[in-house]
Amino acid sequence: MNPTDLAFMAAVEQARLVRCGELTPLDLVQVYLDRIQQLDGRLGSYVVVAAERAIAEAKAKTEQLQTTPVEELPPLFGVPISIKDLNPVAGLPCAYGVRWSKGRMATTDDGIVQRIKAAGCVILGKTATSEAGILPYTEPDGFPPARNPWNLAYTPGGSSGGAAAALAAGLCAIAQGSDGGGSVRGPAFCCGLVGLKPSRGRISYAPLGERLGGIATNGPIGRTVEDAAALLDVMAGYEIGDPYWLAAPDPSFQAVARRGEPGKLRIGFTTTIAPVGEAQGACRTAVLETAQRLEHLGHTVFPVDLMDFTELIEPFTVVFQSILNEAGIPEIFLGKMNRWFALRARFCSCGEYLRSLSRLQVIARQLVQQFQTLDVLLLPTYMHGPIRLKEWARYRPAKTLEKIIDWIAPCPPFNASGQPAIALPTGLDDQGLPMGVQLVGQPAGEATVIALAAQLERAHPWTQRPDFATQL
């Protein structure tokens, strides 16, 4: 098989071929390591490549195929994956996108890393994140910027920018990310991928605690809906002592994606997010065209007036910026935006933080209330297309924050409410950059949005690859 075609093959198909004996884990790992060596110097998607370790593990798994019955193999056995550099992997550096932490070795695996290993995946390395995972572009001080494989002058988004760039360029089969305000959905949008933010409580933060009042969650990024669903099945699950949790799905999310039969749904849509306004150009068109496609698939589709999110902005910012104080990073080691956030956080009282959490919960109740007449909400993922690298570098922090809010506005409300949301690619804009939409479900409604996304994907498949990734 052509190595490029193999690199872009769906992860679940790779797993199937390994189980059938048509591929080995070593075959797959070698394809991706070769591509990383050839392409990532220009892309900047990885901060750590664990080549020797990945090869050794792939060899061991290849030998294991000779002695282990197929039915006893874990679900993603032999599939190469990347891990975001906010999640520790024992024996690999974990810098969190902060130059102060460069070279600091992790001594234990994060809880989801343990689950990913148990599922049989081979870890290729750690992918770039924005500094402390705060910003929606991946250009942390002291690190090369991550670039968008569709156009290297543009961002792949953030904070899971390296994960999305690597996957879109065929430098891993599937990617782990995390989403505290769109950090899975935004990079998926920027890079033409499927990004799923699960419901609050779907994925545990064990063995550590969750620090942002339930705003953030880990989540999968895949080339297909089924890939994202399969990785969600791996990552999800209760761990002893979790502060909130959801029951395991039945059937599995992967089975739901494979079937792709959501039934007839009530789907609201809007292209306007107050107080920002109307989505621009191709982002607006993507929503309107998707609404038509959903109607043709037999769903009841209608426009809705979404609540004004003006009052969400300040409490969300107060809670989110607190991570910089909690982490204890000396401000001298932070970039301009995060120094500003850290200064703001330093003068924020505990009372103000708790009032902000409470305010977010009130706003979340109002938002979920709007879903009483909806099964799914169709929205832009972002309000306009990907930005250029350093596009906002000349602005003062307060102005940059305004720009960020105007770009990512459709995403953070559903971090506050804890609802599931999936970003889907729909095509390319006039500049050849990916466009897409997001589908938001009711609380704990992953199965519905996954089934609907799979139905859309089947009716209008997305198979394009960036030229950068195919010209080897």
Side-chain angles (χ1 to χ4, degrees), residues 181-194:
S183 288
V184 159
R185 290 163 288 161
F189 162 78
C190 290
C191 294
L193 300 166
V194 177

Side-chain angles (χ1 to χ4, degrees), residues 420-433:
I422 190 169
L424 294 174
T426 59
L428 302 175
D429 67 9
D430 292 341
Q431 296 177 300
L433 292 166

Side-chain angles (χ1 to χ4, degrees), residues 47 208 213 239 421:
V47 292
L208 302 177
E239 297 285 348

Side-chain angles (χ1 to χ4, degrees), residues 79-435:
V79 174
I81 193 171
S82 63
I83 303 295
K84 184 176 177 180
D85 199 33
L86 294 183
N87 299 82
V89 177
L92 295 181
C94 189
Y96 304 94
V98 179
R99 56 191 171 101
W100 182 56
S101 303
K102 261 189 173 181
R104 185 174 298 176
M105 301 296 291
T107 56
T108 58
D109 288 331
D110 192 13
I112 59 159
V113 172
Q114 295 173 25
R115 286 178 174 265
I116 285 168
K117 286 181 174 181
C121 294
V122 180
I123 295 172
L124 295 170
K126 305 293 294 295
T127 50
T129 178
S130 60
E131 189 177 73
I134 297 290
L135 299 171
Y137 41 86
T138 305
E139 304 168 17
D141 277 20
F143 298 82
R147 298 174 181 271
N148 193 319
W150 292 90
N151 186 324
L152 298 182
Y154 286 79
T155 184
S159 62
S160 306
L167 186 59
L171 306 189
C172 58
I174 199 165
Q176 172 268 332
S178 54
D179 191 315
S183 288
V184 159
R185 290 163 288 161
F189 162 78
C190 290
C191 294
L193 300 166
V194 177
L196 177 55
K197 184 198 83 67
S199 295
R200 180 173 301 140
R202 182 66 68 191
I203 296 177
S204 173
Y205 263 93
L208 302 177
E210 190 278 319
R211 294 173 171 81
L212 291 173
I215 285 175
T217 177
N218 288 285
I221 307 175
R223 291 197 186 87
T224 68
V225 174
E226 187 179 351
D227 277 3
L231 185 54
L232 178 57
D233 283 329
V234 166
M235 297 166 71
Y238 170 77
E239 297 285 348
I240 292 174
D242 282 345
Y244 26 69
W245 63 90
L246 297 173
D250 184 20
S252 70
F253 293 127
Q254 184 180 357
V256 168
R258 186 171 295 162
R259 192 167 61 231
E261 296 175 358
K264 185 175 180 178
L265 300 176
R266 301 164 299 168
I267 303 173
F269 74 92
T270 184
T271 58
T272 302
I273 305 294
V276 173
E278 187 78 6
Q280 295 181 15
C283 291
R284 179 177 184 273
T285 300
V287 171
L288 298 178
E289 289 180 347
T290 301
Q292 289 182 333
R293 292 170 180 172
L294 290 167
E295 195 167 36
H296 291 156
L297 289 169
H299 302 289
T300 301
V301 183
F302 48 93
V304 295
D305 294 321
L306 205 56
M307 63 182 287
D308 188 328
F309 292 117
T310 299
E311 293 188 17
L312 175 79
I313 295 170
E314 182 58 22
F316 195 96
T317 306
V318 166
V319 172
F320 211 75
Q321 70 193 13
S322 68
I323 197 68
L324 293 167
N325 266 18
E326 186 275 337
I329 304 165
E331 291 173 20
I332 192 173
F333 289 103
L334 296 172
K336 181 171 68 174
M337 273 302 294
N338 279 346
R339 284 198 304 273
W340 183 70
F341 280 135
L343 181 63
R344 282 172 46 110
R346 195 195 312 161
F347 291 100
C348 176
S349 68
C350 294
E352 185 178 355
Y353 175 85
L354 292 174
R355 284 191 294 273
S356 295
L357 275 181
S358 180
R359 185 61 191 146
L360 289 180
Q361 292 167 6
V362 170
I363 294 168
R365 292 179 192 278
Q366 296 168 356
L367 178 53
V368 175
Q369 181 79 12
Q370 294 199 273
F371 277 74
Q372 287 194 329
T373 58
L374 300 176
D375 297 307
V376 172
L377 178 63
L378 166 65
L379 292 169
T381 307
Y382 277 0
M383 299 299 279
H384 59 79
I387 62 171
R388 289 182 172 272
L389 297 180
K390 304 293 183 184
E391 184 167 329
W392 298 333
R394 67 185 184 278
Y395 295 123
R396 292 182 178 178
K399 181 66 173 178
T400 302
L401 180 58
E402 288 181 22
K403 292 283 188 180
I404 290 171
I405 292 167
D406 289 350
W407 189 31
I408 71 168
C411 285
F414 306 103
N415 292 90
S417 68
Q419 292 169 260
I422 190 169
L424 294 174
T426 59
L428 302 175
D429 67 9
D430 292 341
Q431 296 177 300
L433 292 166
M435 287 289 109

